[in-house]
Amino acid sequence: MSGEDTRPGALAALRERDFALYAAARFLATLAWQMLSVAVGWQVYALTRDPLMLGWVGLAQFLPFVALVLPAGQVADRAQRRRVLIGAYGTDLLASAILLAFSASGSERVWPVFAAMALFGSGRAFWMPAGQAIVPSLVPATLFPSAIAANSALFEIAVIGGPALGGLLYQLGPLVAYASAVAAMLCVVVLIASVGLKQPPRRTVAGRELLEGLRYVFRRRTLLGAISLDLFAVLFGGATALLPMVASDVLRVGPAGLGLLRSAPAVGAGLTAGVLALRPLHRHIGRWLFGGVAVFGLATVVFGLSHDLWLSLGALTVLGAGDMVSVYVRQILVQLETPDAIRGRVSAVNSMFIGASNELGEFRSGVTASWLGLVPSLVLGGVATLLVVADFVRRFPELRRMDRLPESAPPQEEGARARRPTRTESADAQRGEAERSRSG
């Protein structure tokens, strides 16, 4: 029948062997990282009882990531991406093994944990751009939306289930949690090595072009406003690093409760992403962007004042939902206001801002909790986020007044225009970023 919907289903891409292997590897890697985030946070705080040490965990990841992510984007464009991913995930495997050895040694000196976190930051700098770029090479063009949907669904399952699983495994002992992560990362490396990849020759990216993405963002006020709003909001309002302290000293729920707390923002983000995929935003885009960040700040204040597990879980769920709205708008703006020829470099800049907000935000929260105490640090962070929103409303009136998303990319400076992703596809793609998005 001519009226039948012939579009492939959400699982159609998983019938492609190479994509299925990659999707399984990405799922296991995300699961392992979420398990480790719970184990590392709980163990570091149990050993030191110092919130500043939790901040150093974030900083140890941030410094190598921000130094390497732009060159890593160039590597992903010049080298075979499968090999880049093997090296990056192999680095994560080594970091997991260091954590396992540290726990087995019984040492109370936590510097090996910071070394392992630095390795994780280095690996992430390489697998983020390579992983984003490899998917179109693994499926036919007609299955690309299906691949995005399948990846997003698997990612959300890992982000929601990983922390809870990590908390349960940690109750059996840190060795169990770390050994499980090592086994998962070993499987990841094997799966990536099994992917077959036909990669066409690539144009060499000149060194002077590496900063073109950064220059483009600063020329486009709407992009600059959206990306920097997220950076400063999470820099001040991020509470992830202090969750072990909240679980231990305020809620007294143990590592299993910590796993639930870390899962809650992902639940809110995943539910919101599903709603946005079914009902994309069409009007009052600027208001939705600022409103999402404001909800993020308010939820942080409520979480900081809460002494009840269920209220804390609810606040974190709302926090994840508000964050997802801002992620959705920001990522679509990055896609639709950037010419295809430099979209990769602009995405690398976006990734760099994300890393800065998450890991630096963790360090900031650890420092302020060490100086002021846990509750003042969380509440002041939420209030600072609200002040950032108010300031950006004034500084970026063009973003505040934005009613509709742009319908097409601006004229390109080089290269041919690629197919513009639909807003539903973009909503699916955003679920992956919401991870990252405050869930570690």
Side-chain angles (χ1 to χ4, degrees):
M1 294 177 62
S2 59
E4 291 181 354
D5 188 349
T6 60
R7 292 176 296 180
L11 299 181
L14 293 176
R15 300 190 187 102
E16 298 289 322
R17 172 188 176 275
D18 293 329
F19 174 74
L21 290 171
Y22 170 74
R26 184 172 181 266
F27 171 79
L28 286 176
T30 305
L31 193 70
W33 170 244
Q34 296 299 323
M35 290 161 48
L36 285 171
S37 66
V38 172
V40 167
W42 187 269
Q43 189 172 34
V44 167
Y45 188 66
L47 289 173
T48 66
R49 310 303 296 181
D50 185 354
L52 183 58
M53 293 296 102
L54 297 175
W56 279 105
V57 170
L59 188 65
Q61 298 172 68
F62 165 75
L63 293 177
F65 174 80
V66 77
L68 294 173
V69 66
L70 292 182
Q74 184 182 22
V75 171
D77 281 340
R78 299 181 63 180
Q80 189 188 79
R81 287 166 180 155
R82 179 183 61 184
R83 294 176 181 173
V84 176
L85 288 173
I86 291 172
Y89 284 127
T91 302
D92 287 357
L93 172 59
L94 175 60
S96 303
I98 290 174
L99 291 172
L100 177 61
F102 163 74
S103 187
S105 72
S107 173
E108 295 187 356
R109 301 179 63 182
V110 296
W111 67 264
V113 175
F114 300 142
M117 291 298 101
L119 283 176
F120 272 117
S122 302
R124 185 161 68 100
F126 283 87
W127 60 248
M128 278 189 72
Q132 292 172 11
I134 199 174
V135 175
S137 304
L138 302 178
V139 295
T142 55
L143 292 182
F144 186 64
S146 171
I148 293 176
N151 254 341
S152 299
L154 290 172
F155 185 88
E156 285 302 323
I157 293 171
V159 170
I160 293 171
L165 178 60
L168 292 174
L169 290 174
Y170 195 90
Q171 287 191 315
L172 300 176
L175 285 177
V176 176
Y178 290 135
S180 300
V182 168
M185 290 307 307
L186 182 60
C187 291
V188 169
V189 173
V190 172
L191 287 169
I192 293 294
S194 302
V195 171
L197 182 63
K198 296 179 180 178
Q199 182 169 331
R202 301 188 181 280
R203 182 179 67 87
T204 299
V205 179
R208 60 182 174 81
E209 295 179 331
L210 290 178
L211 298 179
E212 179 58 29
L214 195 60
R215 287 193 290 266
Y216 185 83
V217 167
F218 277 91
R219 288 198 300 266
R220 304 286 294 193
R221 294 256 317 157
T222 51
L223 284 184
L224 178 62
I227 293 175
S228 55
L229 173 64
D230 178 85
L231 185 152
F232 287 108
V234 179
L235 179 64
F236 293 122
T240 301
L242 298 179
L243 291 183
M245 193 175 179
V246 173
S248 174
D249 298 351
V250 178
L251 302 177
R252 304 188 185 280
V253 292
L258 173 59
L260 292 177
L261 292 174
R262 289 195 67 100
S263 295
V267 172
L271 292 174
T272 304
V275 172
L276 291 173
L278 295 174
R279 298 177 63 88
L281 300 179
H282 295 292
R283 300 292 307 276
H284 312 302
I285 298 303
R287 296 180 190 176
W288 278 106
L289 174 65
F290 287 113
V293 180
V295 168
F296 177 87
L298 286 171
T300 302
V301 173
V302 173
F303 175 72
L305 295 173
S306 172
H307 286 74
D308 178 77
L309 174 61
W310 292 107
L311 178 59
S312 297
L313 290 173
L316 289 174
T317 302
V318 172
L319 179 151
D323 180 59
M324 184 68 248
V325 173
S326 68
V327 166
Y328 172 88
V329 174
R330 173 166 48 83
Q331 282 298 97
I332 292 182
L333 285 176
V334 169
Q335 292 177 9
L336 298 190
E337 292 215 358
T338 306
D340 181 68
I342 61 169
R343 191 170 288 146
R345 278 164 281 173
V346 172
S347 295
V349 172
N350 188 36
S351 296
M352 184 173 65
F353 275 57
I354 290 166
S357 64
N358 287 330
E359 276 75 38
L360 275 185
E362 291 183 13
F363 180 66
R364 190 279 316 160
S365 61
V367 170
T368 54
S370 178
W371 289 348
L372 305 175
L374 174 61
V375 173
S377 172
L378 292 171
V379 172
L380 288 177
V383 171
T385 299
L386 295 174
L387 293 177
V388 166
V389 172
D391 184 57
F392 272 59
V393 166
R394 180 181 62 85
R395 289 180 182 274
F396 294 90
E398 58 273 76
L399 192 58
R400 182 190 73 238
R401 292 193 296 263
M402 179 177 285
D403 184 45
R404 297 180 183 272
L405 289 165
E407 293 298 327
S408 60
Q412 300 190 144
E413 300 168 5
E414 51 179 304
R417 178 172 298 174
R419 179 185 69 87
R420 180 176 66 86
T422 67
R423 292 176 188 173
T424 299
E425 293 170 27
S426 299
D428 287 332
Q430 302 334 307
R431 304 183 193 192
E433 194 185 341
E435 130 188 11
R436 102 198 138 48
S437 164
R438 325 330 163 205
S439 66

